[in-house]
């Protein structure tokens, strides 16, 4: 492994993390990477080793372990959790120690999400709002409130980057859709499913009719999992090719993942059409969830109402890196039928 870039990978068994790892392992640059993944399941760790990935069995809640593994890496992929501040603090502590001891300038690629843009845009589905965030508008990005979801973790990353001991890049996907297909899924290592649209589908199947929050008028961006994978690879390759200073980083290092947006009602209506087609509902038109249903299907009214927030994003910064997403909102709507069928198979 001499001469290879040491990489610490968190989230290798997840929907996003597994999909990106699967691509990195088949990328022409795969031979340059010495990847260590932190994995909770011993069984999955053993399977992952067969793909040439070193594994450490453990949880990212073990912050001493995370700190040690981060210190040992020149590149950290944080693909598991957009909200775990202690985990991120441990990563940053490890990177800071590495910088102090070796003079290395480590690279952090972290996964946040466009949920951050919902702050102040919560309309419970009764309206679309007109605030549209552009990831290349650094002033607009700087004004996102610290109270916004995910923002506490992102702010800790910005501070670390500004301190100068690492270079950090943050990917913020919108609603990711599509069932992941790759060698890690085939080997039973990776979760192939997203959660946003599948949650709406499970609720619809449970109540026998598609549902939405309020009138479903609020809007979110969407992006296909394969395009998300490409975004991480384009970003990582750009950092390698141009050097860490050649790519906007830290507070200027937000990269949205979106290739179109829709209302929540559009998504739910597509679910309804599939249910009618499969003989599971009489009417395709979604109706509003009651508070009781929000609790039953999403865990709480607050979580359920997330499906009635607005998150409006334009990924101009990501596109300027050379990212060319291929799938559109029409593809997102067409992806709902296979998702419904997969959930029905799981529920059998
Ligand atoms: N999917 C989307 O549409 C979307 C969009 C934007 C942002 N995001 C954000 O991206 C992040 C990842 O999402 P995802 O869809 O890839 O979720 P996921 O499929 O549930 O993957 C989560 C990953 O984190 C790992 N993990 C969880 N707790 C852990 C722990 N204590 N120690 C070690 N590993 C742990 C899981 O491992 P196990 O296999 O052991 O569970 C899995 O590898 C989340 O924060 C999510 O909010 C997701």
């Amino acid at each position: 492994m001499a001469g290879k870039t040491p990489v610490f990978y968190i989230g290798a068994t997840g929907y996003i993390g597994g999909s990106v790892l699967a691509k990195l392992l088949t990328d022409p640059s795969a031979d340059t990477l010495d990847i260590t993944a932190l994995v909770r399941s011993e069984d999955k760790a053993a399977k992952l080793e067969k793909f040439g990935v070193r594994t450490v069995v453990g949880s990212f809640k073990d912050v001493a372990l995370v700190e040690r593994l981060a210190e040992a890496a020149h590149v950290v992929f944080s693909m598991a959790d957009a909200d775990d501040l202690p985990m991120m603090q441990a990563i940053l502590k490890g990177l800071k120690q590495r910088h102090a001891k070796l003079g290395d300038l480590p690279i952090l690629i972290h996964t946040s999400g466009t949920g951050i843009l919902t702050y102040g845009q919560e309309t419970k589905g009764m309206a679309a709002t007109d605030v549209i965030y552009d990831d290349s508008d650094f002033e607009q990005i700087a004004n996102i409130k610290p109270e916004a979801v995910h923002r506490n973790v992102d702010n800790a990353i910005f501070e670390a980057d500004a301190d100068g001991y690492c270079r950090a890049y943050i990917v913020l996907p919108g609603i990711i859709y599509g069932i992941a297909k790759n060698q890690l899924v085939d080997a039973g290592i990776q979760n192939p499913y997203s959660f946003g649209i599948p949650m709406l589908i499970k609720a619809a199947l449970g109540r026998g009719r598609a549902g939405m929050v309020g009138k479903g008028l609020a809007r979110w961006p969407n992006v296909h999992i394969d395009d998300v994978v490409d975004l991480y690879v384009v970003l990582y390759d750009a950092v390698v090719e141009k050097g860490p200073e050649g790519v906007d980083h830290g507070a200027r290092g937000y990269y949205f993942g979106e290739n179109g947006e829709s209302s929540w009602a559009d998504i739910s209506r597509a679910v309804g059409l599939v249910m009618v087609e499969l003989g599971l509902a009489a009417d395709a038109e979604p109706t509003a969830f009651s508070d009781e249903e929000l609790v039953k299907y999403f865990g709480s009214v607050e979580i359920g109402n997330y499906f009635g927030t607005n998150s409006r994003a334009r990924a101009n910064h990501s596109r300027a890196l050379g990212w060319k997403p291929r799938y559109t909102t029409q593809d997102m709507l067409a992806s709902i039928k296979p998702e419904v069928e997969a959930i029905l198979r799981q529920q059998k």
Side-chain angles (χ1 to χ4, degrees):
M1 296 284 183
K4 293 192 175 192
T5 303
V7 174
F8 174 35
Y9 206 98
I10 307 179
T13 58
Y15 176 60
I16 307 175
S19 301
V20 172
L21 180 59
K23 179 74 174 195
L24 289 176
L25 292 174
T26 53
D27 205 57
S29 65
D31 282 350
T32 66
L33 306 177
D34 175 6
I35 304 175
T36 300
L38 178 63
V39 178
R40 284 195 286 191
S41 145
E42 275 187 33
D43 175 51
K44 290 186 176 186
K47 288 179 178 165
L48 204 48
E49 295 258 347
K50 295 194 180 125
F51 287 89
V53 175
R54 296 174 197 262
T55 59
V56 173
V57 176
S59 164
F60 63 57
K61 300 289 177 192
D62 182 348
V63 288
L65 177 62
V66 170
E67 186 183 319
R68 186 162 58 72
L69 291 169
E71 187 179 332
H74 174 62
V75 179
V76 176
F77 279 90
S78 164
M79 313 294 283
D81 198 315
D83 299 296
D84 198 300
L85 186 59
M87 174 191 67
M88 184 48 65
Q89 286 166 333
I91 292 173
L92 296 174
K93 207 166 158 195
L95 297 183
K96 190 172 190 176
Q97 281 156 200
R98 180 179 181 87
H99 180 70
K101 287 182 192 166
L102 304 180
D104 183 29
L105 186 59
I107 289 160
L108 169 62
I109 297 184
H110 172 67
T111 306
S112 180
T114 67
I116 200 166
L117 311 180
T118 62
Y119 186 81
Q121 309 298 315
E122 306 94 343
T123 62
K124 296 188 182 171
M126 298 311 281
T129 52
D130 55 9
V131 181
I132 299 180
Y133 286 87
D134 175 344
D135 53 359
S136 64
D137 183 340
F138 304 132
E139 201 183 320
Q140 189 192 30
I141 297 296
N143 284 327
I144 296 173
K145 296 278 183 280
E147 296 83 6
V149 64
H150 315 319
R151 187 68 164 177
N152 58 339
V153 172
D154 296 359
N155 278 340
I157 295 171
F158 297 155
E159 266 178 45
D161 185 280
D163 276 357
Y165 61 81
C166 68
R167 285 292 167 253
Y169 312 86
I170 303 182
V171 176
L172 300 93
I175 299 169
I176 310 176
Y177 66 90
I179 300 172
K181 293 180 183 67
N182 62 53
Q183 71 277 28
L184 300 184
V185 173
D186 293 342
I189 295 169
Q190 179 204 326
N191 166 27
Y193 302 109
S194 193
F195 56 82
I197 293 174
M199 279 172 93
L200 282 175
I201 294 172
K202 286 173 190 165
L205 292 174
R207 70 203 285 271
R209 182 168 185 164
M212 58 192 172
V213 173
K215 294 184 176 172
L217 295 176
R219 298 178 74 78
W220 263 69
N222 60 71
V223 60
H224 190 277
I225 185 65
D226 292 352
D227 284 331
V228 173
V229 167
D230 284 350
L231 175 53
Y232 282 90
V233 173
V234 165
L235 174 60
Y236 179 66
D237 286 350
V239 174
V240 172
E241 276 162 31
K242 297 181 189 171
E245 306 298 341
V247 178
D248 290 326
H249 56 85
R252 301 165 77 98
Y254 260 10
Y255 297 90
F256 292 163
E258 64 78 24
N259 197 31
E261 64 171 28
S262 77
S263 70
W264 289 108
D266 289 341
I267 297 174
S268 294
R269 199 168 293 115
V271 174
L273 285 168
V274 172
M275 288 176 69
V276 170
E277 188 186 333
L278 298 179
L280 299 168
D283 195 329
E285 199 52 31
T287 55
F289 292 119
S290 66
D291 280 359
E292 291 72 30
E293 285 177 321
L294 293 179
V295 173
K296 182 172 177 189
Y297 296 115
F298 303 98
S300 72
V301 173
E302 194 194 350
I303 297 171
N305 277 334
Y306 202 63
F307 292 87
T309 57
N310 289 275
S311 163
R312 305 199 62 192
R314 296 292 182 266
N316 292 325
H317 205 202
S318 298
R319 288 186 176 84
L321 277 177
W323 180 57
K324 294 188 182 70
R326 290 165 289 160
Y327 297 90
T328 64
T329 296
Q330 269 317 108
D331 294 309
M332 181 274 289
L333 296 172
S335 79
I336 287 174
K337 188 172 178 191
E339 292 279 4
V340 173
E341 290 168 340
I343 290 167
L344 288 171
R345 278 196 299 277
Q346 288 159 24
Q347 290 181 347
K348 265 191 189 155

